[in-house]
Amino acid sequence: MDRFHLWSTNFSSLARPSEPKLETEDINTILDGMLLLISTETKKKFIQVVKEYTPDLPPVTVDREQIKQVFLNVLLNALQATPENGTITVKTRSFFQAGR
């Protein structure tokens, strides 16, 4: 019984999301890293990746690891949904409004 309790306690702690580590980050740089991570697969399928980044995006406060996981999931979905010789377009833009 003690072993099971220990196992269930460890398992539930893994399932619990960790506290976000919020820092100021450049979204374009993070996206570049995720695109590099999937580049082998895009090359295998002859998929062209088009980057349309807004160059002067303000930094955003995010948990770097969490947002990397989000971007990776979206990019992997796009990769799976894109046929060979297709194109994936990745765009960034600012929704910043002065005074907010």
Side-chain angles (χ1 to χ4, degrees):
M1 188 70 168
D2 288 330
R3 230 193 221 173
F4 177 76
H5 178 70
L6 180 62
W7 177 83
S8 65
T9 302
N10 287 339
F11 182 75
S12 65
S13 70
L14 289 174
R16 231 178 280 132
S18 61
E19 284 295 314
K21 295 177 186 172
L22 299 178
E23 296 183 26
T24 303
E25 300 285 351
D26 178 349
I27 292 298
N28 292 344
T29 301
I30 294 172
L31 274 169
D32 277 342
M34 296 301 94
L35 289 171
L36 181 61
L37 198 59
I38 68 162
S39 64
T40 301
E41 293 303 313
T42 58
K43 289 175 186 170
K44 282 182 189 176
K45 288 181 71 177
F46 304 100
I47 293 174
Q48 178 185 8
V49 176
V50 177
K51 297 189 301 187
E52 296 180 8
Y53 293 173
T54 298
D56 56 348
L57 276 181
V60 294
T61 304
V62 295
D63 180 304
R64 183 179 185 84
E65 295 309 310
Q66 288 180 354
I67 200 68
K68 281 169 54 178
Q69 189 62 53
V70 169
F71 289 156
L72 182 59
N73 289 345
V74 171
L75 289 168
L76 289 174
N77 288 345
L79 185 61
Q80 290 174 353
T82 304
E84 284 193 16
N85 299 306
T87 301
I88 296 173
T89 302
V90 180
K91 295 181 184 182
T92 61
R93 61 182 176 167
S94 177
F95 288 98
F96 178 76
Q97 296 177 356
R100 286 193 140 186

